Amino acid sequence: MKKLQYSILAIILLAFVLYSGCGEEAPPRDEIPVIKAFLSDFTRAVSDRNAALIDSMIIADAYKMGYHSTRILEDVYKNDTAFFAFGRKEFFYTKDKASIHCSIMADSTDPGRPVEITLVKKHKKWYLKRFDLQ
């Protein structure tokens, strides 16, 4: 009788483990080009110092945390440094959040200053949520 109870308990635990492992799907791979396109547009906006375009790419919640075009441009062009590109990019993402670890480069030989850019997806569109110098 006890063997039957342990067997039933083992089956229930196994079913629970299998069910909990299947809960979250891997993010779709087709988000990678969309995130890269966002970073390309963001790079162009920063290069052009286009505050209006940068602000349009930022989610409203980010403003409450102090993230806005003025702050981002001040961080990028700190001490009157030039801006060439965001280099050494690494992308990490889920279905509704992305993190881009990269460097702010002044020219093609510059090792750059590390920065982490956090994006969130709302209503099928990606928005900048954080821009943190490391």
Side-chain angles (χ1 to χ4, degrees), residues 4-103:
L4 180 62
Q5 289 175 338
Y6 286 129
S7 297
I8 292 172
L9 181 60
I11 291 170
I12 291 172
L13 285 173
L14 180 62
F16 177 74
V17 169
L18 290 174
Y19 177 75
S20 64
C22 297
E24 189 168 320
E25 294 179 23
R29 300 232 1 116
D30 58 348
E31 290 297 332
I32 294 171
V34 178
I35 293 168
K36 286 182 177 181
F38 180 95
L39 185 60
S40 176
D41 292 344
F42 182 66
T43 300
R44 196 171 314 109
V46 169
S47 181
D48 294 343
R49 297 183 190 218
N50 188 336
L53 182 55
I54 294 169
D55 281 332
S56 73
M57 301 174 85
I58 299 173
I59 195 158
D61 296 343
Y63 291 97
K64 297 173 192 170
M65 298 184 305
Y67 297 100
H68 47 77
S69 61
T70 304
R71 178 179 171 186
I72 291 169
L73 290 171
E74 285 173 355
D75 285 347
V76 170
Y77 292 99
K78 192 177 208 171
N79 300 325
D80 293 324
T81 57
F83 174 73
F84 174 70
F86 292 108
R88 296 175 183 75
K89 301 173 281 267
E90 293 183 296
F91 298 88
F92 307 92
Y93 70 100
T94 63
K95 65 179 181 177
D96 60 357
K97 186 175 181 185
S99 179
I100 305 166
H101 296 217
C102 56
S103 296

